[in-house]
Amino acid sequence: MRWTKFRIKTLAEAEDIIISALYDIGLEGAQIEDKVPLTAAEKEQMFVDIPPESQEDDGVAYLSFFVEENEDGTLKVNGENTTAEEILKSVENELGDLRLFMEIGEGTVVVDRTEDIDWINNWKQYFHQFYIDDVLVIPSWEEVKEEDKDKMILHIDPGTAFGTGMHETTQLCIRQLKKYITPETKLLDVGTGSGILAILALMFGAGEAVGTDLDPCAIEATRENIEANGILPEKFSVMTGNIITEKEVQDKVGYECYDIVAANILADVLVPLTPVIVNQLKPGGIYITSGIIDDKEKTVKEAVEAAGLHVLEVTYQGEWVSVTAQK
């Protein structure tokens, strides 16, 4: 499969209006490259494992649009066959119109052709083996070095699910789990993603784990990672569903039967989750939360306390926070 790429050099402040204008002529799914710093809210909503490298903002932005080529070399936009030259002319006309009432910077367009774009797997070039304290985390496409074979090794391939272990929130949870895991521990991992927290909990010596997630892709990724790490299926069961709103999921998970509940989710999800999840914890059970950008710390702590839990510890890494509490 081949694609024609239209790459526009413009200003960051003009991104939205250009994307909107080009959407009207049939160009969709813009790839945006700029150096605008993320706000706290954007960081929380993105919640990415592999954060982009930050550089000083120079106000410049590049917008790329990809159009799939037909076998005869023509392109299809809005269901009709066209050519790169015709699309380029339309793009330049739209940019010319925008110049009449706003600053768009250079506004140049470069047209290029590219081979099949593997959108799902391109991110793998940024994910390489690394350590979280004394645990070696290694993706499925890399080999364990001879000198690392005596280490605790976590084989992880998140697929399209969250959870490589690179994100600060995941590392905060892992360190808290280490403190509270015992051979008798039964763990519930809400929003399990790639299954990384529950798998590591079992590797740390926990007896059993249950994971829930809204995304079927996460459940599939988790099952693959369970197998890759030699975890017995009966040790870690997973299910799709929303434990906050679905009574069926709550019933299936069970009540007052977990020594630890871990939830590495967004702060805005932790607030409604906490009063529900209290029912899954045993008396004296530990609740480990993360996914909390620093300006949401107070909100989550208040939700935890309002649910009748006692805050034991608040830990920090970068701009992220983990709140650990006890029932």
Side-chain angles (χ1 to χ4, degrees):
M1 188 181 299
R2 294 178 65 90
W3 304 74
T4 297
K5 174 182 176 181
F6 299 84
R7 190 169 191 252
I8 302 165
K9 185 176 182 181
T10 182
L11 301 177
E13 62 188 27
E15 290 171 1
D16 291 344
I17 190 67
I18 291 176
I19 290 171
S20 177
L22 298 189
Y23 179 87
D24 290 340
I25 65 171
L27 297 183
E28 303 176 2
Q31 174 184 300
I32 303 172
E33 302 167 71
D34 62 32
K35 300 172 185 174
V36 178
L38 298 174
T39 65
E42 286 170 336
K43 288 178 181 177
E44 186 182 36
Q45 289 301 316
M46 285 178 67
F47 202 24
V48 293
D49 288 86
I50 308 174
E53 294 182 5
S54 59
Q55 298 176 324
E56 185 176 349
D57 183 20
D58 57 7
V60 175
Y62 293 90
L63 305 178
S64 296
F65 299 84
F66 297 85
V67 181
E68 185 179 340
E69 294 184 7
N70 297 317
E71 289 185 4
D72 61 2
T74 61
L75 308 179
K76 182 168 288 187
V77 175
N78 284 334
E80 297 182 359
N81 291 336
T82 183
T83 65
E85 290 76 16
E86 291 172 339
I87 295 174
L88 176 60
K89 184 177 180 180
S90 296
V91 170
E92 290 176 336
N93 287 340
E94 291 292 330
L95 294 176
D97 291 343
L98 291 175
R99 284 187 191 277
L100 297 176
F101 64 90
M102 69 178 295
E103 179 61 49
I104 66 169
E106 193 171 301
T108 53
V109 187
V110 175
V111 182
D112 195 11
R113 300 178 79 193
T114 181
E115 295 295 335
D116 192 13
I117 302 169
D118 190 348
W119 303 104
I120 297 299
N121 293 306
N122 276 353
W123 63 273
K124 290 182 178 180
Q125 64 186 296
Y126 304 107
F127 180 30
H128 304 288
Q129 55 187 285
F130 67 102
Y131 274 98
I132 303 174
D133 300 333
D134 57 347
V135 178
L136 175 64
V137 181
I138 185 166
S140 60
W141 53 92
E142 291 194 1
E143 296 291 331
V144 178
K145 298 173 184 176
E146 190 64 36
E147 61 267 28
D148 289 327
K149 289 186 176 178
D150 61 340
K151 305 289 195 307
M152 178 176 284
I153 299 171
L154 173 68
H155 299 273
I156 202 78
D157 185 352
T160 56
F162 176 85
T164 61
M166 295 184 74
H167 200 281
E168 292 96 329
T169 60
T170 310
Q171 295 178 19
L172 285 166
C173 281
I174 290 168
R175 294 188 180 107
Q176 291 305 100
L177 284 170
K178 278 186 177 180
K179 296 178 184 179
Y180 296 100
I181 292 290
T182 73
E184 290 75 39
T185 295
K186 184 176 182 179
L187 170 80
L188 174 61
D189 183 12
V190 180
T192 194
S194 66
I196 184 171
L197 294 181
I199 290 170
L200 274 175
L202 292 167
M203 292 171 67
F204 293 153
E208 184 182 349
V210 174
T212 69
D213 205 288
L214 298 174
D215 187 356
C217 292
I219 301 303
E220 181 181 348
T222 296
R223 289 187 173 127
E224 291 174 356
N225 289 322
I226 289 171
E227 182 177 353
N229 287 281
I231 302 295
L232 296 175
E234 59 267 26
K235 286 275 193 176
F236 185 9
S237 58
V238 291
M239 64 187 79
T240 308
N242 189 336
I243 197 169
I244 299 176
T245 59
E246 297 176 21
K247 181 68 162 50
E248 181 181 354
V249 176
Q250 296 170 17
D251 292 344
K252 191 173 181 180
V253 165
Y255 300 95
E256 291 199 338
C257 55
Y258 294 94
D259 303 282
I260 298 177
V261 172
N264 183 22
I265 317 179
L266 301 176
D268 291 343
V269 179
L270 289 171
V271 171
L273 171 69
T274 301
V276 173
I277 216 66
V278 165
N279 300 309
Q280 272 65 45
L281 274 170
K282 292 179 181 178
I286 302 296
Y287 183 42
I288 299 173
T289 70
S290 194
I292 308 161
I293 199 76
D294 50 15
D295 64 359
K296 295 286 185 73
E297 175 186 340
K298 182 180 178 183
T299 300
V300 174
K301 285 173 67 178
E302 288 175 349
V304 167
E305 291 168 344
L309 299 171
H310 170 64
V311 175
L312 295 176
E313 189 177 6
V314 181
T315 55
Y316 307 88
Q317 187 172 338
E319 299 173 288
W320 299 91
V321 181
S322 171
V323 176
T324 300
Q326 188 172 30
K327 180 173 176 179

